[in-house]
């Protein structure tokens, strides 16, 4: 049997006044942890930021939509211009029905469905090449050629669980390492064409915000990623994910707060036992000394928790750290790119050793 192979990503990042992830009232999301209120950024928000980062560097990403039939019909017409719109949508609906995906009167699926662009192209080609469709072949097309985000974050298809793709990455909700007190920004706007003898604002509003030092965590199951993406692309995909998870940020209220910061500290471990989220380092909220802030104390707490965890889990195969603080847990990398090169080499060696042993 192959040994497990996991990558853990830990980030400490100070974020100034911001509202990057709102709840249904427009307030920044929070969590109650360790007896106090923390700032929180949902995993969904950060995964969307990562997907957008993938797209910005020309990484092929999936399309999540209810309009899969229209998407497939458009590709059918592109490949066969003689098909009219009605014929194309009919063929698309029939193909999706063959693999158990239902469509309504408006030719939309009942729930959002993620597909890779290559899967749509392959399915369209298969439909045009085969008058009679085979359910197994349609399924094979939709289960191969996953995009990076689909391979990492998975896909659930309620209509046909056989089309599910198990996620190979887990992303935690980011929380502040300390207690936060929500604040309010009161602001007004004046009408530029207001008469000189008229006083008062044309708009009066408040915006809720907070500031926090966040602990962020994610992990990758490398074997699951290999299964979803293929052995050749799994390591490259993992490195891309690490980089974009570290550098991305959700964009809520970004124009109002310009809160885009960089991490203060990043620790990445490669393990062969189990993923380990070290958020328990902050169950007792960090209390900053006047003028010192939360970041340095948070980093110290995180590294202490790393060693405490070794009572229960194995020493990682490798641990790399980048940041301005001296580390005691592993190898200090000169930069993020230096760290990524080290991680890539460790993963390649681990995979090669597995191949030899198997």
């Amino acid at each position: 049997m192959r040994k497990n192979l996991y990558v853990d990503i830990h980030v400490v990042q100070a974020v100034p006044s911001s509202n990057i992830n709102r709840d249904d009232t427009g307030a920044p999301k929070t969590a109650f942890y360790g007896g106090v209120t923390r700032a929180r950024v949902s995993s969904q928000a950060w995964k969307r930021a990562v997907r957008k980062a993938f797209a910005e560097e020309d990484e092929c990403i999936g399309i999540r939509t209810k309009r899969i039939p229209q998407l497939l019909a458009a590709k059918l017409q592109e490949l066969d211009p003689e098909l009219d719109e009605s014929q194309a949508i009919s063929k698309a609906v029939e193909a999706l029905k063959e693999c158990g995906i239902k469509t309504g009167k408006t030719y939309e699926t009942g729930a959002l469905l993620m597909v890779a662009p290559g899967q749509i192209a392959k399915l369209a080609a298969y439909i045009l090449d085969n008058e009679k469709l085979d359910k197994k072949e349609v399924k094979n097309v939709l289960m191969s050629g996953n995009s990076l985000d689909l391979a990492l974050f998975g896909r659930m298809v309620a209509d046909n669980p056989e089309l599910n793709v198990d996620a190979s990455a887990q992303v935690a909700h980011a929380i502040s390492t300390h207690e936060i007190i929500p604040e309010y920004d009161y602001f007004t706007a004046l009408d530029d064409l207001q008469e000189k003898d008229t006083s008062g604002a044309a708009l009066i509003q408040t915006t809720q915000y907070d500031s926090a030092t966040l602990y962020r965590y994610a992990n990758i199951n490398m074997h699951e990623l290999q299964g979803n993406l293929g052995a050749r692309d799994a390591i490259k995909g993992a490195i891309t994910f690490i980089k974009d998870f570290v550098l991305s940020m959700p964009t809520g209220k970004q124009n109002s707060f310009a809160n885009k910061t960089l991490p203060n500290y990043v620790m990445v471990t490669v393990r062969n036992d189990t993923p380990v989220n070290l958020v328990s380092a902050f169950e007792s909220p960090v209390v900053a000394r006047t003028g010192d802030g939360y970041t340095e104390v948070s980093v110290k707490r995180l590294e202490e928790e790393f060693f405490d965890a070794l009572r229960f889990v194995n020493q990682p195969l490798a641990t790399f750290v980048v940041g301005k603080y001296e580390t005691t847990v592993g190898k200090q990398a000169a930069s993020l790119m230096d760290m990524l090169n080290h991680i890539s080499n460790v993963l390649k060696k681990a995979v090669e050793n597995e191949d030899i042993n198997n």
Side-chain angles (χ1 to χ4, degrees):
M1 290 180 64
R2 291 191 304 176
K3 288 186 177 179
N4 294 325
L5 189 60
Y6 298 103
V7 178
D8 282 335
I9 312 160
H10 309 269
V11 180
V12 175
Q13 183 168 356
V15 181
S17 300
S18 59
N19 185 348
I20 58 179
N21 186 207
R22 288 167 273 177
D23 65 16
D24 58 336
T25 69
K29 289 185 177 179
T30 58
F32 196 73
Y33 182 62
V36 300
T37 299
R38 314 292 185 109
R40 175 173 67 90
V41 183
S42 72
S43 59
Q44 295 92 330
W46 227 296
K47 283 189 281 189
R48 175 166 172 75
V50 170
R51 289 182 70 227
K52 289 172 71 176
F54 288 167
E56 286 172 5
E57 54 188 86
D58 295 326
E59 185 70 50
C60 179
I61 64 169
I63 301 163
R64 186 173 56 191
T65 180
K66 290 184 175 183
R67 300 180 180 181
I68 297 297
Q70 292 92 327
L71 201 64
L72 182 54
K75 178 57 71 172
L76 285 167
Q77 286 186 287
E78 180 186 321
L79 297 177
D80 184 359
E82 292 186 6
L83 284 177
D84 62 30
E85 186 177 345
S86 176
Q87 290 172 318
I89 199 74
S90 177
K91 285 180 177 291
V93 168
E94 185 61 32
L96 294 172
K97 182 181 177 182
E98 191 66 39
C99 62
I101 299 174
K102 301 171 186 174
T103 56
K105 293 180 180 178
T106 57
Y107 303 118
E108 291 187 355
T109 56
L112 290 168
L113 180 66
M114 180 180 277
V115 293
Q119 292 171 342
I120 289 293
K122 287 179 182 177
L123 183 54
Y126 173 76
I127 293 168
L128 294 175
D129 290 342
N130 296 271
E131 204 168 299
K132 186 176 181 181
L133 303 182
D134 180 85
K135 178 181 178 180
K136 185 177 179 181
E137 288 303 318
V138 174
K139 177 193 168 186
N140 287 341
V141 169
L142 290 174
M143 292 298 289
S144 62
N146 291 321
S147 56
L148 178 55
D149 56 343
L150 180 51
L152 286 164
F153 305 137
R155 173 177 69 199
M156 189 189 79
V157 184
D159 288 344
N160 185 0
E162 290 182 350
L163 298 176
N164 288 353
V165 176
D166 290 334
S168 58
Q170 299 175 336
V171 180
H173 289 230
I175 65 167
S176 62
T177 64
H178 53 88
E179 180 179 12
I180 60 101
I181 299 173
E183 299 182 75
Y184 294 84
D185 176 34
Y186 168 87
F187 64 93
T188 64
L190 298 178
D191 188 328
D192 289 342
L193 299 181
Q194 186 171 287
E195 300 292 338
K196 290 184 179 180
D197 59 352
T198 302
S199 62
L203 172 72
I204 298 175
Q205 273 190 354
T206 59
T207 295
Q208 195 167 333
Y209 67 94
D210 58 40
S211 57
T213 294
L214 299 174
Y215 169 66
R216 300 166 46 206
Y217 169 78
N219 66 57
I220 308 168
N221 181 332
M222 287 303 301
H223 294 328
E224 197 74 57
L225 185 58
Q226 282 180 284
N228 289 347
L229 205 57
R232 187 187 66 176
D233 295 325
I235 294 174
K236 177 178 177 291
I239 297 302
T240 300
F241 173 64
I242 295 168
K243 176 171 71 71
D244 287 337
F245 176 72
V246 167
L247 296 178
S248 64
M249 179 177 283
T251 56
K253 289 283 186 179
Q254 190 168 268
N255 290 343
S256 298
F257 291 99
N259 50 258
K260 185 72 159 61
T261 60
L262 295 171
N264 304 88
Y265 172 96
V266 178
M267 173 170 62
V268 177
T269 64
V270 181
R271 322 182 63 94
N272 60 11
D273 49 358
T274 182
V276 181
N277 183 332
L278 296 175
V279 69
S280 47
F282 312 110
E283 196 269 341
S284 176
V286 171
V287 178
R289 292 174 297 182
T290 304
D292 286 347
Y294 297 104
T295 305
E296 187 171 1
V297 182
S298 297
V299 170
K300 183 180 178 182
R301 285 266 202 100
L302 184 62
E303 294 208 341
E304 288 172 352
E305 192 71 8
F306 172 90
F307 288 114
D308 286 345
L310 296 180
R311 300 179 209 175
F312 304 96
V313 294
N314 297 334
Q315 180 79 27
L317 298 177
T319 302
F320 302 102
V321 170
V322 64
K324 66 179 181 180
Y325 304 106
E326 290 295 323
T327 182
T328 58
V329 300
K331 180 178 176 60
Q332 185 103 33
S335 65
L336 177 60
M337 293 310 299
D338 182 41
M339 170 189 272
L340 295 175
N341 288 333
H342 286 305
I343 297 167
S344 179
N345 290 334
V346 170
L347 292 177
K348 286 175 183 175
K349 188 176 293 185
V351 171
E352 286 170 2
N353 286 342
E354 285 179 355
D355 291 341
I356 292 169
N357 293 333
N358 288 331

